[in-house]
Amino acid sequence: MGLAAMATTERGMAATVRVLGRGELGRFTGGDRSEVARFESELAGFLGTPHALAVNSGTSALVAALVGAGVGPGDEVLVPAYTWVSTAAAALAVGAVPVLVEVDASLTMDPADLKDRITPRSRAVLPVHMLNHVADMDAIMEVAAAHDLVVIEDACQAVGVMYRGRAAGSIGHAGVFSFNQHKNIRSGEGGALVTRDPKLFERASMSAATSAPDSPVPTRT
Ligand SMILES: Cc1ncc(COP(=O)(O)O)c(C=O)c1O
């Protein structure tokens, strides 16, 4: 999480001062008691996913999720044609090829067009929940399951939004959030990924913490 916290509320201001006062500005000195660990635990609890990893941006979270899912060179990643550039750039950052999928009237990924864009090289699909509108996740999960694709929800713009009783970001194999200045939760810069998959989580954590050899883009917490 960025320390340039946007302390735009009294609670935010108090939290910022608390972190500065403790002098533990990252996760590594505070261990399980660090503010980062507390945030991860609360985020995971709120979303109903066992694992959450806080990183320095939504873009880093997307890259870590792709690395965590084993997506790399030669793979195709299906992304909606309407999104912020980071969604496609994250695929490129891990050496994969972004493939554009049309959006429907909701301005999110069209599940019918998704079906048509799948090739033998398709590996992952990155639906984006634009402007707090959750993509048609039931249909997307069905297509993905039929073609053995990993689903990483780009929920950067939809922290806290519900879809048929489930939280955006908790439906796919991993979900990714941004906490930049324009998002539902703001920390100046910041991001997180959540997942139910312990292996994906472990690989994502390694890539975010150490810039492991299979992570071409160094990311830091
Ligand atoms: C849909 C979407 N994906 C990814 C990102 C990247 O997030 P960040 O700016 O925290 O890197 C953003 C943020 O602008 C976004 O809106």
Side-chain angles (χ1 to χ4, degrees), residues 57-60 62 83-84 86-87 128 130 154 156-157 178-180 183 189-190:
S57 69
T59 305
S60 294
L62 282 167
T83 180
W84 175 245
S86 298
T87 319
V128 182
M130 287 301 277
D154 181 337
C156 283
Q157 298 190 9
S178 165
F179 309 121
N180 78 21
K183 299 301 189 282
E189 297 290 352

Side-chain angles (χ1 to χ4, degrees), residues 32-54:
D32 288 348
R33 291 174 300 104
S34 71
E35 295 278 346
V36 180
R38 242 185 73 195
F39 174 75
E40 288 172 338
S41 154
E42 284 182 19
L43 184 70
F46 173 72
L47 294 165
T49 51
H51 307 289
L53 176 71

Side-chain angles (χ1 to χ4, degrees), residues 105-176:
S106 72
L107 297 182
T108 65
M109 181 179 277
D110 179 357
D113 195 57
L114 170 64
K115 236 185 250 173
D116 292 343
R117 306 280 167 182
I118 290 170
T119 77
R121 290 176 298 283
S122 302
R123 185 75 201 285
V125 51
L126 273 176
V128 182
H129 308 319
M130 287 301 277
L131 305 163
N132 288 312
H133 288 283
V134 182
D136 186 352
M137 286 308 295
D138 284 346
I140 289 170
M141 293 305 289
E142 199 179 314
V143 175
H147 296 273
D148 203 19
L149 302 178
V150 175
V151 179
I152 297 168
E153 295 177 73
D154 181 337
C156 283
Q157 298 190 9
V159 182
V161 178
M162 299 302 286
Y163 169 88
R164 298 182 184 164
R166 288 165 293 167
S170 72
I171 302 161
H173 299 92
V176 166

